[in-house]
Amino acid sequence: MTPHSGTFGSAGERLLQNHLGSAERAAGFYGRQVQPQLTPQMREFIRQQNMVFISTADAGGECDASFRAGPPGFVVDLDQRTLTYPEYRGNGVLASAGNVTENPHMGLLFIDFTHHHIGLHVNGRALLRTDEEQRRTYPRLPVDTAPGRRPDLWVHLVVEEAYVHCSKHIPHLEPAQRPRLSPDSRPKDAEYFVAPRPPAPPSQAPVPVPARHYGHGG
């Protein structure tokens, strides 16, 4: 990775850096860590990830955070300046995609929780393309990123900056099979945060166990 001459950081960032005395440290970070395109190491990292956190905002700046997951490489690096990932039919709200139609700015955050405990921020300008349109332009797109499902849309992101998220405080997670819960062990997704739940049974105080006294034999 080599330093570059690009200018990064918002006016608000620089105002706070000057106020808190971190401008010199921030300048070092901008100069070495923030890249105007994806490095080969970043592209390889993205190919290995099976989840990403995304941020969007509408024309008025109202924000939305969301999450996408799939098999490793479901976010496809088309080249050093371009990423794309599929959008499937969900709850029909289309909050993130709807924001993109008003405001193209999008942020992605990839985090490796299991091996190197490192993160990657990718910010850029997004647009929406139909599945047919995207495959016509990029015929090598994966076909079965979600078995049995066909994307309604593809989010196409032109990268403007990419930089590391340090490993400090990233928790370690062990990959495991998702446990199968019985249908009555939890509310359905659509009811999880809105439907009333029966009160939990009162907890019973533990029965005290009498201490055992050991005498001396005589």
Side-chain angles (χ1 to χ4, degrees), residues 86-143:
E87 284 280 293
Y88 297 97
R89 183 170 299 178
N91 58 15
V93 175
L94 300 169
S96 300
N99 282 346
V100 169
T101 66
E102 300 182 36
N103 179 349
H105 297 289
M106 173 179 281
L108 305 181
L109 175 59
F110 300 88
I111 298 183
D112 173 3
F113 292 99
T114 61
H115 294 90
H116 292 171
H117 308 96
I118 197 81
L120 173 65
H121 295 263
V122 182
N123 298 327
R125 298 175 69 87
L127 56 88
L128 305 178
R129 290 182 172 174
T130 66
D131 187 55
E132 294 77 11
E133 180 184 10
Q134 194 73 325
R135 291 186 188 280
R136 192 162 53 245
T137 308
Y138 302 99
R140 294 186 180 181
L141 286 176
V143 175

Side-chain angles (χ1 to χ4, degrees), residues 56-64 98-100 102-103:
T56 58
D58 64 16
E62 297 289 334
C63 298
D64 184 80
N99 282 346
V100 169
E102 300 182 36
N103 179 349

